[in-house]
Amino acid sequence: MRAPLPTPLVTVEVADTLRRGVPAVLVAFTGDPVRLGPGGEGVVDLDDVSGKAGATSRQGRAWVVGVGDGEPGDWRKAGASLVRALHADAEKAGGTTFDVRLPEDVTAAAVAAFTLGAAVGGYRFKVSGEEPPKRVKSLRLVAAGAGSAGAGLAEAVRKANTLAAATSLGRDLANTPSNVKDPSWLAAAAVKAARAVPGLRVDVRDEKWLAEQGFGGVLAVGGGSSRPPRFIELTWPGTDSGLPHLVLVGKGITFDTGGISIKPADGMHLMRTDMSGGAAVIAALVGIAQQSLPVRVTGLVPTAENHVSGSAYRPGDVITHYGGTTTEVTNTDAEGRLVLADALSYAVRNLRPDVLVDVATLTGAMKVTLGVRTGGLFATDDDLAGRVADSGARVGESWWRMPLLEELAEDVRSDIADVRQCPPGPGGITAALFLKEFTGDVPWAHLDIAGPARADKVYDEVVAGATGFAARTLIELAETYTQPNTIG
C-alpha cells in the first residue's frame, strides 16, 4: 500500500484581468445591508447572501463568499470555506478554476490569509483504491486597479503558498498510517522532500550510529520495535555567517503504544500522528530553504516506534542520554521527552546554537489545559517567547505562554539517577522542566502541541486529522532572525 503523497493543493496566483468564460467569486463584508466587493452590483441578490466570514452561496454562475469585517483571520476562513464549497460542487461536474474579484484596497495581509486558507482548507488525505473525486485546481486573485501594489500582493501570495505547502507536508507525514510509516520511512520522506530544494542537506543516522554515540533515550524507546530508530538531521546553511544559528528539534515517534505502560485502546489509532512535531520541523526546514532565508537553521528529528515486546524498556530502568546525563524511567508512555533529551543535548554539545526550539505532541496535560486550538509555549527567554507568539499570530497559529516554575525544578531530581522522567505535579510544566535540564545556557523554547496537532472536525483552514500545526510558526520564526543583531 502506498500513501498518496504529496497531497495536491489548490494553486493560487495573482492577476490583474478577468478571464473570459471563467466563473467569478465575489466577496461580501458584514453590514446592514451586506457590503459587496467588485462585480456584485446588479448580479447578487443581497437577501440571499451573508457577509459572515466563511459563508458561501451560489448566484447563477458566480459564487459569493463572506469575509466578515475583513480581518486576516476572516479572509483565511473565507478562503478555506470557499474551496470546500467549490470542491463539493466540482464533484457534481462543477468548474475547476475560478477568478476571485478582490477590492482595490485589499491588503497584502488579507490576500496572504485568503491564499493560505484556500490552499489548505480543502486538504484531503485518503488511502483508497478508488479514483480521487474531481477537485478545484486553481484560483486567480484579480485585484483590478491595484497598480504598483500588485507586486506586493504577488509576493504575499508566493509566501502564503510556501506556508501552505509546509502545512500540507506536515499533515501528509503525520496522517500516513504507521504500517507504512516507520522511522526508516520518515527519514526517506525527509530526504525526498529535501531533494526538491537546492542547498538543503539531510543526514540520516541508523541504530548502529545511535549506539556508538550513546543516544540512550532514542535506543530505549525504540528497543521494543522490530523497526529500528533513526536520527534525522536537516541543515540549511544560510548565506550570512553573522546571523544566528537556529536549531529546531521535533519529536518523531512514528507510533506510540505507550510501551509497557500501555495506552488504553480508545484513541490509540491516532498515535500515527505522534510524530507531528518532527513533521513540523521537516516541513519548516523545507519551507525555510524554499524561501532561501539567509539565516542558518538545523532541524533534528529523533524518530522511533514505541512498542511492546520482550526487548521493550521498563519502568524503573535507568538510561544514559547523549552527553552522559542519566534518567530514571517511571512511565514508558512518556517517551517523547526521552528522545528529545538526546537530541537537545546533541544540539548543545555539537551545533553551538544561538537559539534552540523543540516541538512535540508531549503531554495530555497541555491538551486539557489549553484545548485543541492553542499550543503551549514555554521559554527561558522573553524575547524568544515573544517572537514565537508573534510569529504564530501572523500565520494563524495560536500560542499561550506557560510558566517554568522554579519551585518545581527540584522535583526533576532522582534518587537513583540524575533526573527522573515524570516528576509529580502539573504534567505539562514538569515535562518542560525535565527538558530544560538538557538545554544548557542556550535561549530555549518548548512548544507542546498535543492539542492542536490533531483535529476531529473542520474549523477555519483545519480539516479532520493531522493539522500540520507549528510548521508555519517555525518558518516565520526563522524569518525574524534574518536581520543582524536580532537576538536579545
Side-chain angles (χ1 to χ4, degrees):
M1 179 187 71
R2 290 185 178 181
L5 303 181
T7 295
L9 300 180
V10 173
T11 300
V12 184
E13 60 182 357
V14 173
D16 57 9
T17 58
L18 296 169
R19 293 173 289 179
R20 186 185 301 272
V22 173
V25 177
L26 314 176
V27 299
F29 296 84
T30 52
D32 188 15
V34 172
R35 181 165 61 91
L36 296 174
E41 295 297 329
V43 176
V44 176
D45 184 348
L46 292 180
D47 293 333
D48 294 335
V49 300
S50 169
K52 181 180 178 182
T56 59
S57 63
R58 188 169 185 174
Q59 301 280 314
R61 291 193 72 224
W63 285 78
V64 180
V65 61
V67 295
D69 294 326
E71 296 298 319
D74 294 334
W75 281 95
R76 188 174 66 254
K77 186 173 184 176
S81 297
L82 173 66
V83 165
R84 286 193 283 265
L86 296 181
H87 277 334
D89 189 66
E91 293 182 20
K92 305 172 187 175
T96 60
T97 186
F98 294 82
D99 285 350
V100 181
R101 300 194 62 173
L102 301 177
E104 291 185 11
D105 61 351
V106 69
T107 65
V111 168
F114 184 86
T115 299
L116 178 62
V120 300
Y123 174 93
R124 179 180 184 268
F125 184 96
K126 187 173 184 179
V127 180
S128 174
E130 300 178 357
E131 286 295 316
K134 190 177 180 181
R135 310 275 277 174
V136 176
K137 295 181 179 179
S138 64
L139 298 177
R140 290 170 88 242
L141 309 184
V142 183
S148 60
L153 299 184
E155 173 59 21
V157 168
R158 183 203 62 77
K159 180 179 176 181
N161 279 323
T162 299
L163 294 175
T167 299
S168 182
L169 175 58
R171 291 178 181 181
D172 281 348
L173 295 176
N175 278 326
T176 297
S178 294
N179 58 322
V180 173
K181 177 178 60 190
D182 63 3
S184 178
W185 182 95
L186 184 60
V191 170
K192 180 180 178 181
R195 280 177 181 162
V197 190
L200 180 58
R201 190 180 81 234
V202 182
D203 295 299
V204 178
R205 280 68 176 250
D206 63 12
E207 69 275 21
K208 294 180 180 178
W209 183 91
L210 289 166
E212 292 170 356
Q213 298 295 317
F215 279 66
V218 178
L219 291 168
V221 173
S225 174
S226 62
R227 308 195 288 183
R230 293 289 184 267
F231 187 70
I232 306 166
E233 182 169 350
L234 303 99
T235 304
W236 173 247
T239 57
D240 188 336
S241 59
L243 294 180
H245 180 198
L246 175 61
V247 175
L248 309 176
V249 181
K251 172 185 169 183
I253 301 301
T254 56
F255 193 78
D256 183 19
T257 65
I260 288 177
S261 307
I262 197 162
K263 292 179 179 292
D266 290 346
M268 192 190 290
H269 64 287
L270 298 175
M271 289 301 102
R272 63 178 176 269
T273 66
D274 207 26
M275 37 59 68
S276 292
V281 167
I282 293 169
L285 263 292
V286 172
I288 288 165
Q290 285 175 335
Q291 295 195 90
S292 297
L293 296 183
V295 66
R296 181 185 175 195
V297 185
T298 302
L300 304 177
V301 182
T303 177
E305 186 174 70
N306 189 23
H307 228 298
V308 185
S309 75
S311 58
Y313 76 124
R314 297 157 292 268
D317 286 0
V318 173
I319 61 176
T320 303
H321 292 283
Y322 184 90
T325 298
T326 59
T327 291
E328 174 192 0
V329 177
T330 54
N331 183 341
T332 65
D333 192 25
E335 81 299 327
R337 65 197 72 183
L338 298 180
V339 302
L340 290 174
D342 279 347
L344 290 169
S345 182
Y346 173 86
V348 170
R349 291 170 177 270
N350 293 279
L351 302 179
R352 296 183 179 180
D354 297 295
V355 181
L356 185 58
V357 179
D358 75 76
V359 55
T361 50
L362 203 68
T363 65
M366 195 52 54
K367 183 176 181 179
V368 172
T369 302
L370 296 177
V372 297
R373 302 193 186 189
T374 303
L377 163 60
F378 299 82
T380 57
D381 181 87
D382 291 341
D383 176 70
L384 175 55
R387 286 175 186 266
V388 172
D390 292 345
S391 295
R394 286 193 295 272
V395 297
E397 294 182 334
S398 177
W399 301 93
W400 187 265
R401 190 174 184 183
M402 300 292 294
L404 285 166
L405 300 174
E406 284 302 317
E407 57 266 32
L408 299 177
E410 187 59 30
D411 292 337
V412 178
R413 316 320 307 174
S414 167
D415 292 334
I416 64 169
D418 294 322
V419 291
R420 54 177 167 174
Q421 176 200 30
C422 295
I429 295 173
T430 55
L433 288 170
F434 172 86
L435 293 176
K436 184 175 179 288
E437 295 287 324
F438 300 88
T439 61
D441 296 324
V442 180
W444 162 71
H446 162 55
L447 311 182
D448 192 331
I449 61 170
R454 294 181 285 268
D456 58 8
K457 63 181 179 180
V458 172
Y459 63 90
D460 298 340
E461 81 281 7
V462 173
V463 298
T467 65
F469 192 87
R472 303 198 301 262
T473 295
L474 295 177
I475 295 171
E476 188 74 7
L477 175 66
E479 191 162 354
T480 71
Y481 289 107
T482 56
Q483 299 297 323
N485 301 318
T486 53
I487 293 182

